[in-house]
Amino acid sequence: MTSSSLTGRSRSSTHTFGGFVIERGPWRFEREEDLDEALRQRGRTGFEGALQTAELIQFADACQRWAKTGHRTLTDYLAQRCGIAYRSYRRALALVEALDIVPEEHRGACRAMLIAMGSHRAGALTPWIRERGPAVTPEDLKPWVDLAEAATEEAFQEQVNEARGLPVG
């Protein structure tokens, strides 16, 4: 893949789809598929970053950093001192809390599989993980990863609901 960093912006752009040259600011992709892969990678990095932030939020709450800095709540601490909208990380935090239930020997592999799924599908699967708790293994998640790649978000959510015994449709 030929591309430069996905940082920086410019107003210049060139799109030649017949010759598969796509240029936008500092980015250059020889093939359309290269752009797809760059976006997939960036999306995964974004979700992984959100999970890391959620883990830090969980840690800040556990050591009551918010109280030590004179804030009334964790939400106040995050917004006022850190500039983080707590609601932005709620989905990632719910997933981190669900992963805490997974046995430690499976947690890393399960986390990587969920990152590969993307934030919305992983978020949809979070209640299923919570319900199964310590019984969740990477082998349990493999069919969900496969479904996440093949199904729309709506179809994925319906399958999760069905697996949880909830109404579908």
Side-chain angles (χ1 to χ4, degrees):
M1 177 167 77
T2 304
S3 71
S4 59
S5 170
L6 288 178
T7 59
R9 293 188 179 156
S10 173
R11 293 187 181 179
S12 66
S13 65
T14 301
H15 305 279
T16 310
F17 294 103
F20 299 105
V21 174
I22 303 169
E23 248 183 286
R24 168 83 169 99
W27 308 302
R28 180 174 174 81
F29 302 96
E30 297 297 327
R31 302 174 319 129
E32 288 181 70
E33 295 81 10
D34 293 342
L35 173 59
D36 299 341
E37 183 58 26
L39 287 168
R40 275 193 292 276
Q41 290 299 320
R42 184 64 199 139
R44 288 185 193 124
T45 302
F47 180 43
E48 186 170 14
L51 286 178
Q52 290 170 347
T53 300
E55 289 165 345
L56 286 170
I57 290 170
Q58 189 180 43
F59 180 73
D61 192 29
C63 66
Q64 295 190 349
R65 179 72 180 141
W66 53 272
K68 294 174 183 173
T69 57
H71 293 87
R72 292 182 329 121
T73 65
L74 174 64
T75 304
D76 290 345
Y77 162 75
L78 292 172
Q80 296 167 9
R81 187 166 182 105
C82 305
I84 295 174
Y86 177 77
R87 292 181 65 200
S88 300
Y89 289 94
R90 186 64 206 134
R91 177 183 292 162
L93 191 54
L95 183 55
V96 166
E97 291 167 352
L99 280 169
D100 284 346
I101 301 168
V102 173
E104 192 169 344
E105 66 268 17
H106 299 305
R107 198 171 298 146
C110 289
R111 185 180 191 276
M113 294 172 89
L114 291 164
I115 288 169
M117 248 184 227
S119 64
H120 292 284
R121 288 172 178 84
L125 196 56
T126 298
W128 181 85
I129 294 168
R130 282 181 185 259
E131 290 166 3
R132 294 186 54 97
V136 175
T137 67
E139 292 78 28
D140 295 324
L141 291 182
K142 177 70 173 114
W144 291 111
V145 172
D146 294 341
L147 180 62
E149 291 176 2
T152 64
E153 284 186 31
E154 184 177 295
F156 186 83
Q157 182 67 63
E158 286 181 5
Q159 290 294 314
V160 172
N161 288 350
E162 186 176 308
R164 295 181 61 218
L166 299 175
V168 177

